[in-house]
Amino acid sequence: MNIIEIEHLKKYYGEVKAVDDISFTVKKGEFFAFLGVNGAGKSTTISILCGRQPADGGSVTIDGMSLDGHADEVKRRLGVVFQSSVLDAPLTVADNLKYRASLYGIHGEKWRAQLEKLTELFDLSELLRRPVGKLSGGQRRRVDIARALVHDPEILILDEPTTGLDPQTRQSVWSIVHRLRKEREMTVFLTTHYMEEAADADRVVILDGGKILADATPLELKNTYTGDYITFYGASEEELAVLGASVERVGEAFRLEVKNTAEATELVLKHPKLFRDYEITKGKMDDVFLRVTGKSIGATGAEEKR
């Protein structure tokens, strides 16, 4: 069952086609990743999904309801974590969450029960009375996600949620998100430029210049756009010349790209003496992105947020 259906979505700013006639679906309970460099159209699409700005064409359907005709009902099904924190820095964590809950009619005993759940899930007990402005970046991000979940939405939209966070905090954030998916069967819609985050997705859409260039599972993308890699340890470049292909030095090892695992197996059987210490790995999502777009994920484009 599709919980999000986007058809021929368009958003133009004069000559700039920020979102240029894109269509895709997201299944209920799916972990969906939306990839692209800055300016690809990711945040513009998110902004339209959330009703923050109108589209210039096309349609958005959430849980069977058109965004055009049921905007308020659709928004109640969404929890959104934007790139920049929307928390009120002078207010305490508890007050930020309480104010957000009140917008959804959550008061009294129902609010206290919800706060208790969020406090346990996000480990907020020592933070509730602290002003948000006094929190670290990682702590604030946890509160951002808690705020997005205060009304128990069916879809959690994460727009570059871990940008600027240290690796340990990023891991902590993702641990919480994956726990939520498991416990609540929540749909997660992610935009990111961290390729390793997208590698765990059920499906990935790659966007560039406002257009969709690829739409598949991470494994399908890797099999289509990259090969496998054989990394040799303890072998010399002269020894590996017998393979008849150029090898790339990687630290103290050498790496060879092959079409697939079957080709790697043939080489193992043909040259067993070379395979004393080695490993075979799939290409990474970074390789996929580069092959699909011709760009490094660190590249930047025109500003897409308006």
Side-chain angles (χ1 to χ4, degrees):
M1 173 185 172
N2 294 330
I3 196 166
I4 299 176
E5 296 180 349
I6 306 295
E7 295 185 358
H8 303 293
L9 193 65
K10 300 175 183 177
K11 185 65 182 180
Y12 301 155
Y13 299 101
E15 297 296 317
V16 178
K17 297 181 178 180
V19 178
D20 191 13
D21 195 13
I22 66 173
S23 300
F24 63 90
T25 60
V26 180
K27 290 182 170 57
K28 185 176 178 62
E30 191 171 54
F31 176 18
F32 177 91
F34 213 38
L35 301 184
V37 297
N38 293 336
K42 305 186 306 297
S43 290
T44 301
T45 302
I46 293 293
S47 186
I48 295 170
L49 274 176
C50 299
R52 299 184 80 187
Q53 61 177 309
D56 292 328
S59 64
V60 176
T61 303
I62 306 290
D63 202 15
M65 294 179 294
S66 168
L67 180 60
D68 288 337
H70 305 85
D72 290 340
E73 294 174 73
V74 165
K75 289 177 184 178
R76 292 186 69 88
R77 284 162 169 76
L78 305 177
V80 189
V81 179
F82 295 104
Q83 289 185 40
S84 300
S85 178
V86 293
L87 299 170
D88 195 330
L91 296 182
T92 65
V93 169
D95 285 342
N96 267 276
L97 296 177
K98 185 176 182 179
Y99 173 71
R100 183 64 177 176
S102 69
L103 298 180
Y104 292 93
I106 302 173
H107 304 284
E109 193 58 41
K110 186 177 180 181
W111 157 242
R112 285 187 284 274
Q114 189 72 332
L115 179 61
E116 185 176 339
K117 284 196 302 182
L118 293 172
T119 298
E120 187 277 329
L121 179 62
F122 292 93
D123 191 22
L124 301 177
S125 57
E126 296 183 4
L127 304 180
L128 289 177
R129 292 185 173 85
R130 291 177 61 181
V132 164
K134 300 293 185 181
L135 303 182
S136 68
Q139 291 169 335
R140 184 175 299 201
R141 215 49 172 159
R142 278 157 46 200
V143 180
D144 274 319
I145 300 175
R147 176 187 180 275
L149 296 173
V150 77
H151 60 297
D152 289 326
E154 295 180 42
I155 303 167
L156 177 62
I157 296 178
L158 302 170
D159 191 11
E160 303 280 1
T162 59
T163 298
L165 300 183
D166 62 84
Q168 183 177 357
T169 304
R170 284 171 54 200
Q171 185 177 23
S172 174
V173 166
W174 278 110
S175 176
I176 293 170
V177 171
H178 290 314
R179 178 180 168 185
L180 284 167
R181 287 193 65 225
K182 182 178 180 180
E183 293 179 353
R184 304 189 186 186
E185 298 184 3
M186 181 179 291
T187 303
V188 174
F189 188 117
L190 168 74
T191 77
T192 184
H193 61 263
Y194 289 119
M195 292 293 100
E196 68 272 23
E197 295 182 345
D200 293 330
D202 296 311
R203 212 167 97 254
V204 174
V205 161
I206 297 178
L207 196 69
D208 190 46
K211 288 186 175 293
I212 292 176
L213 302 187
D215 181 351
T217 68
L219 180 59
E220 289 169 343
L221 290 172
K222 289 177 183 180
N223 287 338
T224 300
Y225 293 102
T226 72
D228 288 2
Y229 292 93
I230 307 173
T231 304
F232 296 89
Y233 302 97
S236 67
E237 190 169 6
E238 291 73 20
E239 283 181 283
L240 297 175
V242 71
L243 297 175
S246 60
V247 294
E248 174 190 7
R249 178 180 287 277
V250 182
E252 297 182 356
F254 289 96
R255 189 173 75 165
L256 172 68
E257 183 175 3
V258 293
K259 292 180 181 178
N260 49 43
T261 306
E263 184 177 340
T265 302
E266 289 179 14
L267 290 176
V268 173
L269 296 174
K270 190 175 181 179
H271 305 282
K273 292 184 179 179
L274 291 178
F275 290 81
R276 300 183 296 270
D277 188 5
Y278 70 99
E279 61 181 345
I280 302 175
T281 57
K282 288 283 184 190
K284 296 181 179 181
M285 289 302 296
D286 297 82
D287 303 311
V288 169
F289 191 87
L290 183 60
R291 297 277 173 88
V292 172
T293 67
K295 301 174 182 177
S296 165
I297 194 62
T300 58
E303 178 62 29
E304 70 182 58
K305 293 185 68 180
R306 289 170 169 81

